[in-house]
Amino acid sequence: MANVIVVGAQFGDEGKAKVTDLLAKNADVVVRYQGGSNAGHTVVVDGETYKFHLIPSGILYKGTICILGPGMVIDPKAFMAELDSLIKRGLDDSCLKVSASAHVTMPFHLTIDAAEEDSRGSKKIGTTKRGIGPTYADKCDRIGIRVEDLLDPEVLKAKLEWLVPKKNVILERLYNLPPQDPQKIFEEYVAYGKQMAKYVCDTAALIFKSVRERKNILFEGAQGTLLDLDHGSYPYVTSSSPSAGGACVGAGVGPTIIDRVIGVSKAYQTRVGEGPFPTEQFAELGEKLRQTGTAWAEVGVTTGRPRRCGWLDCVLGRYAVRINGLDCLAITKLDVLDEFDEIKVCVAYRDCKTGEVHKDLPSMAGAFARMEPIYKTFPGWCTSTKTCRSYSDLPPATQQYLNFVAQELDVPVAIVSVGPKRDQTIVIEDPIHGPKRVLSKAH
Ligand code: IMP
C-alpha cells in the first residue's frame, strides 16, 4: 500500500499525465484535488491520444476509482462534454465519483474571467478564461454554488436568485456586458445536476475508507508549483493550491496518510500565460524547443496558446523540492533536447539591480522579476534517446545531464520519459518505495 502525490515542479504542463498514467496502473483510487477545466492532461495509449481537463486520467484503467475532489472547481457543461466523449471512445464511467462539496463554475464566472482579463491590459495574467479565478473567489467569499446545490432545485433557485443580480451589477456596470437570466441558468444547471447525480458522493469519506482498506491512492496534481496561489509567482498564478500540501486539503485527507511525493519536471522549462520566466529563450532557440517533435509541439492543451520555452531552471527546481517535500523526480520530454549542440541549465540567479547572486529564490514577489540566470553549459548528445528503455541505454552526455540535475536539486531522478507513448519511459529507481531522501539531507 502506498499513497502518492504527483505534482508539477514547474509552471504546469510538465507531462504529469504521463507519469500519473504510469503510476495509475497500480492505483486503486486516483484523485484530482484542485483546479478545474483549466488543466490539460495528455496521455497516449496504443496510438490513441486522450486529453483530460477535469476527469482524472486514471479512468483509462477499468475498475480504478476516479475522484473529482472537493478542492476542485467544476464546470458541469465542460464535465459532461468531456465525459460523453470519453464514453463514446469506450471508457467506463462506473467508478467515476464527484465530490458533493466541489464548487461549480457558472456562466457568469466564465464571462467575468474573460472581462477581467481583458480589462487588465498590460497587467493581464494570461488566464485560460475557464472561470477558475472567479469560481474560487466566490468559494472564499462563501457565496459559491457547490455540486450538491445542483441536486437540490430549491436551494439552487434561491442561491441563483440572490447571486445572479449581484453578478449582473458587475457585468453591466463594470464591464458594460448584458445581464444574465437567473431562471435560464437555473433550468440549465438543474438539468446538469440530474445528469451528474449518479456520480456525486462524499468523496473524502470514500478516500478514508480506501485508506483503511490499505488501497493505493494516487493524488493527481494539475498546474504546477510555480502557479500555486500561495507559493507561486503571484499574481501570475492560478487560484488553487497545486503543490503537495494542497492535495490533503483539496482531497480531504490528513497528511499522515501520504507516503511519497513525486515531482514532475520537463528536461527544460515552459510557461503558458504571463509572468516572470528567467530562462526564457526567444527567437530561434525558443522556437526550436517549441517545435521539436510533432507529438510534443509546445502549445497549451486547453487554450492552444504557444508555450513560452527556455532552459531548465534549477533554482526553481530546488524551490519545488522544498515547497513540496519531493522524494524524487520524474523528468519528462528529455528527447526534445536530442538535437541541441549544447544545453544550458540555470544554476543560480544574479539580481540585475543589486548584482547579488542567489542559489535559492530570494522572494517570489518583486525580486523574482529582476533575476537573470547564471548558466552551466553541457555538450548536447545529438542522438535520439526515443528508443532508450534503460538508464544504461542513454548516451553518456545524457546521463551526465540527468546526474547533474539530480545533484543540483538534491533528489534522485526516478523516472525519465523519452516520448509520449507509455513504453517510452525509463524507470531508474522505484519511484514509490525508494528512501525518503528529502528527510536525510540538508535543504
Ligand atoms: P487560470 O488558472 O485560468 O486562472 O490561469 C492562471 C494562470 O495559470 C495563467 O498563466 C494560465 O496560463 C496558467 N495555467 C492555468 N492552468 C494551467 C495548466 O494546466 N497548465 C499551464 N498553465 C496553466
Side-chain angles (χ1 to χ4, degrees):
M1 190 285 286
N3 300 323
V4 178
I5 303 173
V6 174
V7 289
Q10 300 173 306
F11 293 103
D13 305 321
E14 297 91 350
K16 292 178 291 297
K18 182 175 167 180
V19 176
T20 309
D21 176 62
L22 183 81
L23 301 173
K25 196 172 159 203
N26 299 314
D28 303 294
V29 183
V30 180
V31 188
R32 267 281 305 271
Y33 56 86
Q34 45 70 232
S37 51
N38 49 349
H41 294 167
T42 307
V43 182
V44 181
V45 185
D46 299 333
E48 293 249 359
T49 300
Y50 295 88
K51 291 183 193 292
F52 300 96
H53 299 284
L54 283 160
I55 294 172
S57 54
I59 199 161
L60 291 170
Y61 294 96
K62 198 171 162 41
T64 301
I65 296 175
C66 286
I67 292 177
L68 281 77
M72 286 187 73
V73 290
I74 300 170
D75 177 341
K77 195 172 181 174
F79 172 77
M80 288 314 305
E82 185 175 338
L83 185 57
D84 282 348
S85 87
L86 291 174
I87 291 172
K88 275 198 194 109
R89 293 177 75 179
L91 294 185
D92 176 24
D93 66 341
S94 60
C95 294
L96 185 64
K97 308 285 172 197
V98 177
S99 167
S101 312
H103 277 249
V104 180
T105 297
M106 306 299 288
F108 42 83
H109 292 135
L110 296 165
T111 318
I112 290 173
D113 191 4
E116 265 177 10
E117 194 54 9
D118 292 342
S119 75
R120 284 190 188 107
S122 64
K123 297 252 182 312
K124 71 177 181 188
I125 294 168
T127 77
T128 58
K129 299 191 178 170
R130 296 297 188 272
I132 305 300
T135 313
Y136 277 114
D138 279 1
K139 170 179 170 170
C140 291
D141 208 9
R142 293 149 299 174
I143 56 171
I145 289 172
R146 310 212 299 184
V147 168
E148 62 189 350
D149 300 330
L150 300 183
L151 311 188
D152 188 332
E154 237 175 82
V155 171
L156 181 65
K157 200 169 184 25
K159 282 198 171 187
L160 287 173
E161 277 171 2
W162 181 81
L163 187 58
V164 179
K166 284 167 98 65
K167 298 295 174 187
N168 282 342
V169 175
I170 298 173
L171 290 175
E172 290 182 281
R173 302 230 188 122
L174 218 54
Y175 299 120
N176 206 18
L177 288 167
Q180 297 188 357
D181 178 358
Q183 180 59 25
K184 222 173 126 212
I185 297 176
F186 170 74
E187 283 161 20
E188 189 184 350
Y189 281 71
V190 157
Y192 289 135
K194 283 192 184 136
Q195 290 175 291
M196 289 172 70
K198 66 174 180 170
Y199 307 110
V200 179
C201 67
D202 178 348
T203 56
L206 179 60
I207 296 172
F208 192 62
K209 182 169 171 282
S210 305
V211 170
R212 283 271 159 94
E213 288 168 356
R214 302 285 187 270
K215 298 267 173 70
N216 295 315
I217 306 169
L218 186 60
F219 298 88
E220 177 181 8
Q223 290 81 48
T225 306
L226 299 155
L227 293 177
D228 188 285
L229 180 60
D230 293 292
H231 305 292
S233 58
Y234 192 89
Y236 302 100
V237 293
T238 191
S239 301
S240 65
S241 304
S243 54
C248 293
V249 180
V253 298
T256 44
I257 71 130
I258 306 298
D259 297 295
R260 299 285 283 179
V261 184
I262 301 174
V264 185
S265 168
K266 278 178 189 162
Y268 51 101
Q269 204 89 16
T270 63
R271 176 164 206 170
V272 197
E274 306 302 314
F277 182 174
T279 60
E280 183 169 14
Q281 298 298 307
F282 301 94
E284 246 177 84
L285 199 56
E287 200 48 42
K288 185 171 173 185
L289 276 170
R290 198 164 18 254
Q291 295 296 340
T292 305
T294 46
W296 279 140
E298 288 291 6
V299 294
V301 176
T302 301
T303 57
R305 291 177 291 179
R307 292 179 186 147
R308 300 156 64 193
C309 295
W311 297 120
L312 186 69
D313 186 332
C314 287
V315 179
L316 294 181
R318 278 190 288 273
Y319 182 74
V321 170
R322 172 155 68 79
I323 291 295
N324 296 295
L326 297 184
D327 290 305
C328 63
L329 280 175
I331 300 281
T332 60
K333 302 196 179 186
L334 183 69
D335 56 302
V336 172
L337 298 181
D338 284 350
E339 285 163 30
F340 286 84
D341 295 332
E342 58 176 34
I343 294 164
K344 293 187 179 188
V345 183
C346 169
V347 291
Y349 291 152
R350 182 174 291 107
D351 187 326
C352 64
K353 190 171 159 197
T354 64
E356 270 176 291
V357 171
H358 298 274
K359 276 289 271 182
D360 291 308
L361 207 58
S363 116
M364 254 302 174
F368 183 40
R370 298 200 306 264
M371 295 298 139
E372 292 178 343
I374 298 174
Y375 289 117
K376 183 170 167 64
T377 304
F378 289 83
W381 41 93
C382 299
T383 176
S384 176
T385 56
K386 287 179 199 296
T387 54
C388 295
R389 293 295 176 267
S390 69
Y391 179 73
S392 57
D393 288 346
L394 292 168
T398 321
Q399 294 183 4
Q400 190 196 0
Y401 183 74
L402 292 174
N403 292 343
F404 181 78
V405 172
Q407 207 183 333
E408 277 290 300
L409 270 57
D410 206 5
V411 282
V413 175
I415 298 172
V416 176
S417 169
V418 289
K421 296 182 193 148
R422 271 183 177 165
D423 72 333
Q424 289 180 300
T425 308
I426 298 169
V427 179
I428 299 175
E429 68 166 54
D430 184 341
I432 308 290
H433 301 103
K436 301 278 300 173
R437 286 195 181 82
V438 85
L439 295 180
S440 59
K441 295 207 172 182
H443 279 276

Short mmCIF file of all heavy atoms in Angstrom, two decimals, residues 11-14 16 35-41 113 117 124-134 136 222-224 226-227 235-240 270-275 300-303 305 307-308, ligand 1:
data_model
loop_
_atom_site.label_atom_id
_atom_site.label_comp_id
_atom_site.label_asym_id
_atom_site.label_seq_id
_atom_site.Cartn_x
_atom_site.Cartn_y
_atom_site.Cartn_z
N PHE A 11 5.93 25.32 -14.06
CA PHE A 11 4.78 26.21 -14.29
C PHE A 11 3.58 25.47 -14.89
O PHE A 11 2.79 26.06 -15.61
CB PHE A 11 5.18 27.33 -15.25
CG PHE A 11 6.20 28.31 -14.72
CD1 PHE A 11 7.52 28.24 -15.13
CD2 PHE A 11 5.83 29.32 -13.84
CE1 PHE A 11 8.47 29.15 -14.67
CE2 PHE A 11 6.77 30.24 -13.37
CZ PHE A 11 8.08 30.15 -13.79
N GLY A 12 3.44 24.19 -14.61
CA GLY A 12 2.38 23.41 -15.26
C GLY A 12 2.86 22.83 -16.57
O GLY A 12 3.98 23.15 -17.03
N ASP A 13 2.06 21.95 -17.16
CA ASP A 13 2.38 21.32 -18.45
C ASP A 13 3.68 20.52 -18.41
O ASP A 13 4.41 20.46 -19.40
CB ASP A 13 2.49 22.37 -19.58
CG ASP A 13 1.24 23.21 -19.69
OD1 ASP A 13 0.14 22.65 -19.55
OD2 ASP A 13 1.36 24.43 -19.92
N GLU A 14 3.97 19.89 -17.27
CA GLU A 14 5.24 19.16 -17.13
C GLU A 14 5.17 17.75 -17.71
O GLU A 14 6.18 17.05 -17.75
CB GLU A 14 5.64 19.05 -15.65
CG GLU A 14 5.92 20.35 -14.94
CD GLU A 14 4.67 20.93 -14.28
OE1 GLU A 14 3.57 20.41 -14.53
OE2 GLU A 14 4.81 21.90 -13.51
N LYS A 16 2.67 15.66 -16.43
CA LYS A 16 2.23 14.92 -15.24
C LYS A 16 1.32 13.75 -15.61
O LYS A 16 1.35 12.72 -14.97
CB LYS A 16 1.44 15.84 -14.29
CG LYS A 16 2.25 16.92 -13.64
CD LYS A 16 1.40 17.80 -12.76
CE LYS A 16 0.42 18.67 -13.49
NZ LYS A 16 0.98 19.68 -14.39
N GLY A 35 -8.04 22.81 -8.95
CA GLY A 35 -8.14 23.27 -10.33
C GLY A 35 -9.45 22.83 -10.96
O GLY A 35 -10.33 22.25 -10.31
N GLY A 36 -9.55 23.11 -12.25
CA GLY A 36 -10.78 22.76 -12.96
C GLY A 36 -10.45 22.49 -14.41
O GLY A 36 -9.42 21.84 -14.70
N SER A 37 -11.28 23.03 -15.31
CA SER A 37 -11.06 22.71 -16.72
C SER A 37 -9.95 23.57 -17.33
O SER A 37 -9.76 23.56 -18.53
CB SER A 37 -12.37 22.84 -17.50
OG SER A 37 -12.96 24.09 -17.24
N ASN A 38 -9.22 24.31 -16.49
CA ASN A 38 -8.00 24.99 -16.96
C ASN A 38 -6.90 23.97 -17.25
O ASN A 38 -5.97 24.25 -18.00
CB ASN A 38 -7.51 26.04 -15.95
CG ASN A 38 -7.41 25.52 -14.52
OD1 ASN A 38 -7.89 24.44 -14.21
ND2 ASN A 38 -6.81 26.31 -13.64
N ALA A 39 -6.97 22.79 -16.64
CA ALA A 39 -5.93 21.78 -16.82
C ALA A 39 -6.07 21.10 -18.18
O ALA A 39 -7.16 21.02 -18.73
CB ALA A 39 -6.04 20.74 -15.72
N GLY A 40 -4.94 20.63 -18.69
CA GLY A 40 -4.97 19.87 -19.94
C GLY A 40 -3.96 18.74 -19.82
O GLY A 40 -2.76 18.98 -19.85
N HIS A 41 -4.44 17.52 -19.61
CA HIS A 41 -3.54 16.38 -19.39
C HIS A 41 -3.63 15.42 -20.58
O HIS A 41 -4.70 14.92 -20.89
CB HIS A 41 -3.94 15.65 -18.10
CG HIS A 41 -3.72 16.49 -16.87
ND1 HIS A 41 -4.23 16.18 -15.64
CD2 HIS A 41 -3.03 17.64 -16.69
CE1 HIS A 41 -3.87 17.10 -14.76
NE2 HIS A 41 -3.15 18.00 -15.38
N ASP A 113 -14.32 36.18 -15.84
CA ASP A 113 -12.90 35.85 -16.04
C ASP A 113 -12.39 36.53 -17.31
O ASP A 113 -11.34 37.21 -17.31
CB ASP A 113 -12.75 34.31 -16.14
CG ASP A 113 -11.29 33.85 -16.08
OD1 ASP A 113 -10.40 34.69 -15.87
OD2 ASP A 113 -11.05 32.63 -16.22
N GLU A 117 -9.87 39.83 -17.38
CA GLU A 117 -8.59 39.63 -18.07
C GLU A 117 -8.39 40.72 -19.14
O GLU A 117 -7.34 41.34 -19.22
CB GLU A 117 -8.63 38.22 -18.67
CG GLU A 117 -7.37 37.64 -19.15
CD GLU A 117 -6.20 37.59 -18.20
OE1 GLU A 117 -6.32 37.88 -17.00
OE2 GLU A 117 -5.11 37.32 -18.72
N LYS A 124 -2.26 41.90 -17.61
CA LYS A 124 -3.06 40.67 -17.65
C LYS A 124 -2.26 39.46 -17.14
O LYS A 124 -1.03 39.45 -17.20
CB LYS A 124 -3.63 40.44 -19.04
CG LYS A 124 -2.64 40.04 -20.06
CD LYS A 124 -3.32 39.76 -21.39
CE LYS A 124 -2.22 39.35 -22.33
NZ LYS A 124 -2.40 39.17 -23.63
N ILE A 125 -2.99 38.46 -16.65
CA ILE A 125 -2.38 37.26 -16.08
C ILE A 125 -2.19 36.19 -17.16
O ILE A 125 -1.31 35.36 -17.07
CB ILE A 125 -3.27 36.72 -14.93
CG1 ILE A 125 -3.28 37.73 -13.78
CG2 ILE A 125 -2.81 35.36 -14.44
CD1 ILE A 125 -4.33 37.46 -12.73
N GLY A 126 -3.03 36.29 -18.20
CA GLY A 126 -2.99 35.25 -19.22
C GLY A 126 -3.77 34.03 -18.77
O GLY A 126 -3.34 32.89 -18.98
N THR A 127 -4.92 34.23 -18.12
CA THR A 127 -5.69 33.07 -17.62
C THR A 127 -6.22 32.26 -18.80
O THR A 127 -6.24 32.73 -19.95
CB THR A 127 -6.90 33.50 -16.75
OG1 THR A 127 -7.96 33.97 -17.61
CG2 THR A 127 -6.54 34.55 -15.73
N THR A 128 -6.69 31.07 -18.48
CA THR A 128 -7.24 30.20 -19.52
C THR A 128 -8.69 30.61 -19.86
O THR A 128 -9.31 30.00 -20.71
CB THR A 128 -7.24 28.73 -19.04
OG1 THR A 128 -8.01 28.66 -17.84
CG2 THR A 128 -5.83 28.24 -18.77
N LYS A 129 -9.21 31.59 -19.14
CA LYS A 129 -10.59 32.07 -19.32
C LYS A 129 -11.62 30.96 -19.12
O LYS A 129 -12.65 30.89 -19.79
CB LYS A 129 -10.76 32.74 -20.68
CG LYS A 129 -9.85 33.98 -20.83
CD LYS A 129 -10.19 34.80 -22.04
CE LYS A 129 -9.28 36.04 -22.10
NZ LYS A 129 -9.34 36.80 -23.30
N ARG A 130 -11.31 30.05 -18.21
CA ARG A 130 -12.24 28.96 -17.89
C ARG A 130 -13.03 29.25 -16.61
O ARG A 130 -13.61 28.37 -16.00
CB ARG A 130 -11.49 27.62 -17.73
CG ARG A 130 -10.81 27.14 -19.00
CD ARG A 130 -11.84 26.85 -20.10
NE ARG A 130 -11.24 26.20 -21.25
CZ ARG A 130 -10.69 26.84 -22.28
NH1 ARG A 130 -10.66 28.16 -22.31
NH2 ARG A 130 -10.18 26.18 -23.31
N GLY A 131 -12.96 30.51 -16.15
CA GLY A 131 -13.76 30.90 -14.98
C GLY A 131 -13.17 30.47 -13.64
O GLY A 131 -13.85 30.52 -12.60
N ILE A 132 -11.90 30.06 -13.66
CA ILE A 132 -11.30 29.46 -12.45
C ILE A 132 -11.21 30.48 -11.30
O ILE A 132 -11.70 30.22 -10.19
CB ILE A 132 -9.88 28.90 -12.79
CG1 ILE A 132 -9.96 27.92 -13.97
CG2 ILE A 132 -9.22 28.29 -11.56
CD1 ILE A 132 -10.81 26.72 -13.79
N GLY A 133 -10.58 31.63 -11.58
CA GLY A 133 -10.40 32.65 -10.52
C GLY A 133 -11.73 33.08 -9.92
O GLY A 133 -11.90 33.04 -8.69
N PRO A 134 -12.71 33.51 -10.73
CA PRO A 134 -13.98 33.94 -10.16
C PRO A 134 -14.73 32.84 -9.39
O PRO A 134 -15.42 33.12 -8.41
CB PRO A 134 -14.79 34.39 -11.40
CG PRO A 134 -13.72 34.81 -12.38
CD PRO A 134 -12.59 33.86 -12.17
N TYR A 136 -13.27 30.34 -7.63
CA TYR A 136 -12.59 30.23 -6.33
C TYR A 136 -12.84 31.48 -5.48
O TYR A 136 -12.90 31.40 -4.25
CB TYR A 136 -11.08 30.00 -6.50
CG TYR A 136 -10.71 28.55 -6.74
CD1 TYR A 136 -10.17 28.14 -7.95
CD2 TYR A 136 -10.90 27.59 -5.75
CE1 TYR A 136 -9.81 26.81 -8.17
CE2 TYR A 136 -10.56 26.25 -5.96
CZ TYR A 136 -10.01 25.87 -7.17
OH TYR A 136 -9.67 24.56 -7.38
N ALA A 222 -2.80 19.17 -10.73
CA ALA A 222 -2.91 19.88 -12.01
C ALA A 222 -2.10 21.18 -11.87
O ALA A 222 -1.69 21.54 -10.76
CB ALA A 222 -4.36 20.20 -12.32
N GLN A 223 -1.84 21.86 -12.97
CA GLN A 223 -0.96 23.04 -12.97
C GLN A 223 0.39 22.68 -12.32
O GLN A 223 0.79 21.54 -12.40
CB GLN A 223 -1.61 24.24 -12.28
CG GLN A 223 -2.78 24.85 -13.05
CD GLN A 223 -4.09 24.10 -12.88
OE1 GLN A 223 -4.49 23.79 -11.80
NE2 GLN A 223 -4.77 23.83 -13.98
N GLY A 224 1.03 23.64 -11.64
CA GLY A 224 2.36 23.32 -11.10
C GLY A 224 2.69 24.19 -9.91
O GLY A 224 1.99 25.18 -9.61
N LEU A 226 4.79 26.49 -9.35
CA LEU A 226 5.02 27.94 -9.54
C LEU A 226 3.75 28.67 -9.95
O LEU A 226 3.75 29.89 -10.11
CB LEU A 226 6.16 28.16 -10.52
CG LEU A 226 7.44 27.53 -9.94
CD1 LEU A 226 8.41 27.16 -11.02
CD2 LEU A 226 8.08 28.43 -8.90
N LEU A 227 2.65 27.91 -10.08
CA LEU A 227 1.34 28.53 -10.31
C LEU A 227 0.49 28.44 -9.05
O LEU A 227 -0.69 28.80 -9.06
CB LEU A 227 0.61 27.84 -11.47
CG LEU A 227 1.22 28.01 -12.87
CD1 LEU A 227 0.41 27.21 -13.89
CD2 LEU A 227 1.27 29.47 -13.28
N PRO A 235 1.32 37.74 -8.83
CA PRO A 235 -0.07 37.33 -9.09
C PRO A 235 -0.25 36.46 -10.33
O PRO A 235 -1.38 36.17 -10.70
CB PRO A 235 -0.75 38.69 -9.31
CG PRO A 235 0.30 39.52 -9.99
CD PRO A 235 1.62 39.07 -9.40
N TYR A 236 0.88 36.05 -10.95
CA TYR A 236 0.76 35.26 -12.19
C TYR A 236 0.60 33.79 -11.83
O TYR A 236 1.49 32.96 -12.11
CB TYR A 236 1.97 35.51 -13.09
CG TYR A 236 2.12 36.97 -13.43
CD1 TYR A 236 3.04 37.78 -12.76
CD2 TYR A 236 1.31 37.56 -14.40
CE1 TYR A 236 3.16 39.12 -13.05
CE2 TYR A 236 1.43 38.90 -14.69
CZ TYR A 236 2.35 39.67 -14.02
OH TYR A 236 2.46 41.01 -14.30
N VAL A 237 -0.46 33.46 -11.18
CA VAL A 237 -0.69 32.11 -10.65
C VAL A 237 -2.14 31.71 -10.93
O VAL A 237 -2.94 32.54 -11.36
CB VAL A 237 -0.46 32.08 -9.12
CG1 VAL A 237 0.99 32.33 -8.78
CG2 VAL A 237 -1.35 33.11 -8.39
N THR A 238 -2.44 30.48 -10.64
CA THR A 238 -3.84 30.07 -10.69
C THR A 238 -4.44 30.29 -9.30
O THR A 238 -3.75 30.77 -8.40
CB THR A 238 -3.97 28.61 -11.19
OG1 THR A 238 -5.35 28.34 -11.46
CG2 THR A 238 -3.43 27.60 -10.18
N SER A 239 -5.71 29.97 -9.11
CA SER A 239 -6.36 30.34 -7.85
C SER A 239 -6.49 29.18 -6.88
O SER A 239 -7.27 29.26 -5.92
CB SER A 239 -7.73 30.94 -8.15
OG SER A 239 -7.56 32.06 -8.99
N SER A 240 -5.74 28.10 -7.12
CA SER A 240 -5.82 26.94 -6.23
C SER A 240 -4.41 26.59 -5.73
O SER A 240 -3.46 27.31 -5.97
CB SER A 240 -6.45 25.76 -6.96
OG SER A 240 -5.60 25.35 -8.02
N THR A 270 8.93 25.44 -19.48
CA THR A 270 7.95 26.17 -20.29
C THR A 270 6.99 26.92 -19.38
O THR A 270 6.88 26.62 -18.20
CB THR A 270 7.11 25.24 -21.21
OG1 THR A 270 6.34 24.36 -20.40
CG2 THR A 270 7.95 24.47 -22.19
N ARG A 271 6.30 27.88 -19.97
CA ARG A 271 5.27 28.60 -19.22
C ARG A 271 4.20 29.06 -20.22
O ARG A 271 4.54 29.53 -21.31
CB ARG A 271 5.92 29.81 -18.52
CG ARG A 271 4.92 30.68 -17.79
CD ARG A 271 5.53 31.65 -16.79
NE ARG A 271 4.48 31.89 -15.82
CZ ARG A 271 4.60 32.50 -14.67
NH1 ARG A 271 5.76 32.97 -14.31
NH2 ARG A 271 3.58 32.66 -13.87
N VAL A 272 2.93 28.92 -19.85
CA VAL A 272 1.84 29.49 -20.64
C VAL A 272 1.29 30.66 -19.84
O VAL A 272 1.18 30.57 -18.63
CB VAL A 272 0.68 28.51 -20.87
CG1 VAL A 272 -0.21 28.98 -22.01
CG2 VAL A 272 1.15 27.13 -21.13
N GLY A 273 0.94 31.72 -20.50
CA GLY A 273 0.42 32.88 -19.76
C GLY A 273 1.55 33.82 -19.39
O GLY A 273 2.72 33.59 -19.74
N GLU A 274 1.19 34.86 -18.65
CA GLU A 274 2.16 35.92 -18.33
C GLU A 274 2.97 35.57 -17.09
O GLU A 274 2.72 34.58 -16.44
CB GLU A 274 1.41 37.24 -18.10
CG GLU A 274 0.48 37.65 -19.23
CD GLU A 274 1.19 37.80 -20.56
OE1 GLU A 274 2.26 38.42 -20.59
OE2 GLU A 274 0.66 37.28 -21.58
N GLY A 275 3.92 36.47 -16.76
CA GLY A 275 4.70 36.31 -15.53
C GLY A 275 6.17 36.07 -15.78
O GLY A 275 6.55 35.70 -16.89
N GLY A 300 -0.49 24.99 -25.50
CA GLY A 300 -1.33 24.62 -24.36
C GLY A 300 -2.44 23.67 -24.79
O GLY A 300 -3.10 23.90 -25.80
N VAL A 301 -2.65 22.59 -24.00
CA VAL A 301 -3.68 21.60 -24.33
C VAL A 301 -5.07 22.23 -24.21
O VAL A 301 -5.98 21.93 -24.96
CB VAL A 301 -3.56 20.39 -23.37
CG1 VAL A 301 -4.68 19.38 -23.61
CG2 VAL A 301 -2.21 19.72 -23.53
N THR A 302 -5.23 23.15 -23.27
CA THR A 302 -6.55 23.74 -23.02
C THR A 302 -6.82 24.92 -23.93
O THR A 302 -7.91 25.06 -24.47
CB THR A 302 -6.64 24.17 -21.54
OG1 THR A 302 -6.43 23.00 -20.74
CG2 THR A 302 -8.00 24.77 -21.22
N THR A 303 -5.82 25.76 -24.13
CA THR A 303 -6.08 27.02 -24.84
C THR A 303 -5.49 27.06 -26.25
O THR A 303 -5.83 27.95 -27.02
CB THR A 303 -5.48 28.21 -24.07
OG1 THR A 303 -4.08 27.95 -23.90
CG2 THR A 303 -6.13 28.38 -22.72
N ARG A 305 -2.62 27.97 -26.91
CA ARG A 305 -1.64 29.06 -27.00
C ARG A 305 -0.23 28.48 -27.08
O ARG A 305 0.06 27.49 -26.40
CB ARG A 305 -1.71 29.96 -25.75
CG ARG A 305 -2.97 30.77 -25.64
CD ARG A 305 -2.99 31.57 -24.36
NE ARG A 305 -3.12 30.73 -23.18
CZ ARG A 305 -3.14 31.18 -21.94
NH1 ARG A 305 -2.98 32.46 -21.70
NH2 ARG A 305 -3.28 30.36 -20.92
N ARG A 307 3.41 27.78 -26.02
CA ARG A 307 4.07 27.90 -24.71
C ARG A 307 5.37 28.66 -24.86
O ARG A 307 6.06 28.52 -25.86
CB ARG A 307 4.37 26.50 -24.15
CG ARG A 307 3.12 25.75 -23.78
CD ARG A 307 3.44 24.36 -23.25
NE ARG A 307 2.21 23.62 -23.03
CZ ARG A 307 2.09 22.30 -23.18
NH1 ARG A 307 3.12 21.58 -23.54
NH2 ARG A 307 0.94 21.72 -22.96
N ARG A 308 5.69 29.45 -23.85
CA ARG A 308 6.99 30.11 -23.80
C ARG A 308 8.00 29.03 -23.37
O ARG A 308 7.70 28.24 -22.48
CB ARG A 308 6.95 31.25 -22.78
CG ARG A 308 5.91 32.31 -23.13
CD ARG A 308 5.47 33.09 -21.90
NE ARG A 308 6.52 33.88 -21.30
CZ ARG A 308 6.43 34.45 -20.09
NH1 ARG A 308 5.34 34.31 -19.37
NH2 ARG A 308 7.43 35.16 -19.62
P1 IMP B 1 -6.28 30.31 -14.65
O1 IMP B 1 -5.93 29.07 -13.88
O2 IMP B 1 -7.08 30.04 -15.89
O3 IMP B 1 -6.89 31.37 -13.79
O4 IMP B 1 -4.90 30.94 -15.21
C1 IMP B 1 -3.92 31.49 -14.33
C2 IMP B 1 -2.51 31.21 -14.85
O5 IMP B 1 -2.23 29.82 -14.76
C3 IMP B 1 -2.30 31.58 -16.33
O6 IMP B 1 -0.97 31.99 -16.51
C4 IMP B 1 -2.51 30.25 -17.05
O7 IMP B 1 -1.87 30.22 -18.30
C5 IMP B 1 -1.91 29.30 -16.05
N1 IMP B 1 -2.47 27.94 -16.14
C6 IMP B 1 -3.67 27.53 -15.68
N2 IMP B 1 -3.82 26.21 -15.90
C7 IMP B 1 -2.70 25.79 -16.48
C8 IMP B 1 -2.24 24.50 -16.92
O8 IMP B 1 -2.91 23.46 -16.79
N3 IMP B 1 -1.00 24.46 -17.47
C9 IMP B 1 -0.22 25.57 -17.57
N4 IMP B 1 -0.61 26.78 -17.18
C10 IMP B 1 -1.83 26.89 -16.64
#
